[in-house]
Amino acid sequence: MNDVQTIGILGGGQLGRMLSVAASRLGLRCHIFEPGAAPAGDVAWRLTTAPYEDVDALRAFAESVDVITYEFENVPTSALDLLESIRPIRPNRRALAVSQDRLAEKTFLNDIGLATAPFADVPSESDLDAAIAAIGRPSILKTRRMGYDGKGQVRIGDGPAEWTGAPSVLEGFVDFSAEISVIIARGADGQVAAFDPGLNVHRDGILRTTTVPCGLPSKTTTDAVLIAARIANALDYIGVMGVELFFTPQGLIVNEIAPRVHNSGHWTQAGCAVDQFEQHIRAVAGLPLGDGKRYAAVAMENLIGDDLDRVPDLLRTPNVQVHLYGKGTPRPGRKMGHVNRITG
Ligand code: AMP
């Protein structure tokens, strides 16, 4: 695939935008396909604005690129089937299928010998009582599909249990002392390069900060990287993947995998010679990967909603790299940008 000139990206949000910038630095072009508003369109070679049901638009998009990737995992199957009949999709469909569905994801992880929270399938509301009896309280009910940033989740405490409204999984509550994530890349030749695990802090289900180094013992960070590598190999993965883990007294538990560049990997823009976006572009274009080595301690903070008001001050702060996504009006809970603060 060394003759890749043009990369198609499904999804036009900030991840697609930063992928497009990285691709352009390598002399490659990106074509974005996005049904809605597309901050990535501002910096890409081409933008197609069309729904995933528009067969003609999908076909023209696929024919204009050499390889297709995505920054958003909930692309409808019918669109993927059509696109894949024209151009390769990287990471592959199995990685997407596993990460689109929390039940398939947890089953896959257990099948390859990795620990997850205890879970039960809850196909409908009438199955909820039996699932709570099996898993216990406290627990978390999560929709199988379309969940992100804590959406589609209901905490089950002592009171009556609310239903999510869609087929779900019930997860036992994990008493973790830290949340970490590994951003790992795997090339078409099977070469793997991991970035250092980052420590993640969430508020209201949304990632607020990622800090490297994460402060956990090196045995734990090595285990985390080995877990991520096992997942990438098992999926015959090509591209960058985010693996979120809980650190517990019993060891590491995999929370979820994202088959794409990940918010908790933004620190690599200030900490590594080749950041996660360039690494993903290199992988899907069939180019050699960067080594993932970290050259700085970095604290990444998301700028959410009105955090945007802090930008003038942040621009005056030494050792701070400001990234803005060009999204227009801030809304509560909306990721507007992020900063990478070099701390050492
Ligand atoms: P998720 O969408 O699955 O990544 O969940 C969002 C956040 O909810 C996680 O980052 C955790 O902070 C918390 N969370 C999710 N699942 C569990 C669990 N089984 N036990 C405890 N906390 C959880």
Side-chain angles (χ1 to χ4, degrees):
M1 292 295 297
N2 283 340
D3 47 0
V4 167
Q5 298 294 323
T6 308
I7 297 171
I9 303 178
L10 302 172
Q14 65 266 22
L15 301 178
R17 180 177 171 109
M18 291 184 276
L19 284 168
S20 298
V21 170
S24 65
R25 284 202 317 253
L26 289 174
L28 304 174
R29 307 186 296 196
C30 287
H31 185 168
I32 306 288
F33 191 102
E34 165 63 61
D42 293 349
V43 301
W45 169 63
R46 273 180 74 183
L47 167 67
T48 294
T49 306
Y52 284 116
E53 292 70 36
D54 186 334
V55 173
D56 293 338
L58 286 169
R59 189 170 290 122
F61 165 79
E63 285 170 352
S64 76
V65 303
D66 300 306
V67 62
I68 297 168
T69 189
Y70 44 90
E71 55 114 61
F72 165 78
E73 55 266 45
N74 293 314
V75 178
T77 305
S78 57
L80 295 167
D81 287 343
L82 173 61
L83 294 169
E84 196 175 31
S85 72
I86 303 171
R87 291 291 183 271
I89 298 180
R90 293 176 163 179
N92 63 36
R93 296 290 297 281
R94 171 130 190 268
L96 256 179
V98 160
S99 60
Q100 276 176 338
D101 177 349
R102 291 186 193 273
L103 183 63
E105 182 177 54
K106 287 194 160 43
T107 306
F108 159 75
L109 290 166
N110 289 175
D111 284 350
I112 63 167
L114 299 177
T116 60
F119 66 95
D121 183 14
V122 194
S124 67
E125 190 171 5
S126 61
D127 303 300
L128 186 52
D129 287 345
I132 294 174
I135 300 297
R137 299 170 186 254
S139 41
I140 305 186
L141 189 65
K142 300 181 179 178
T143 54
R144 282 177 59 173
R145 293 175 171 276
M146 300 298 275
Y148 67 98
D149 285 352
K151 293 190 172 60
Q153 300 193 11
V154 175
R155 266 294 281 279
I156 312 267
D158 293 333
E162 218 183 289
W163 174 236
T164 53
S168 296
V169 287
L170 184 69
E171 279 184 36
F173 196 80
V174 177
D175 193 13
F176 56 81
S177 56
E179 287 188 71
I180 62 171
S181 56
V182 177
I183 308 300
I184 194 161
R186 188 171 178 277
D189 58 357
Q191 182 197 357
V192 164
F195 295 107
D196 276 3
L199 176 72
N200 298 329
V201 174
H202 293 84
R203 203 160 63 229
D204 304 326
I206 302 177
L207 183 71
R208 296 290 153 156
T209 61
T210 299
T211 308
V212 284
C214 69
L216 295 180
S218 62
K219 180 189 176 309
T220 304
T221 55
T222 301
D223 280 349
V225 168
L226 291 173
I227 286 170
R230 189 188 298 188
I231 296 169
N233 272 335
L235 291 171
D236 198 16
Y237 197 87
I238 299 177
V240 163
M241 175 171 66
V243 179
E244 295 184 56
L245 304 121
F246 296 136
F247 179 55
T248 78
Q250 290 74 43
L252 290 166
I253 286 180
V254 183
N255 176 31
E256 62 181 4
I257 57 188
R260 51 170 169 77
V261 287
H262 194 254
N263 193 170
S264 68
H266 291 0
W267 67 266
T268 58
Q269 294 169 315
C272 302
V274 175
D275 66 28
Q276 65 161 348
F277 301 99
E278 179 174 341
Q279 193 77 312
H280 185 75
I281 294 295
R282 287 187 184 210
V284 302
L287 300 169
L289 301 181
D291 62 7
K293 186 174 176 352
R294 183 174 59 78
Y295 291 98
V298 184
M300 188 285 305
E301 181 193 1
N302 274 332
L303 300 176
I304 297 170
D306 289 342
D307 286 342
L308 216 52
D309 296 343
R310 292 167 43 213
V311 166
D313 282 342
L314 288 164
L315 287 171
R316 282 187 207 99
T317 311
N319 303 322
V320 167
Q321 187 185 63
V322 178
H323 294 258
L324 299 173
Y325 306 150
K327 283 189 179 176
T329 320
R331 276 200 310 270
R334 191 170 196 211
K335 291 175 181 167
M336 305 303 294
H338 67 274
V339 293
N340 288 319
R341 200 180 298 266
I342 298 171
T343 56

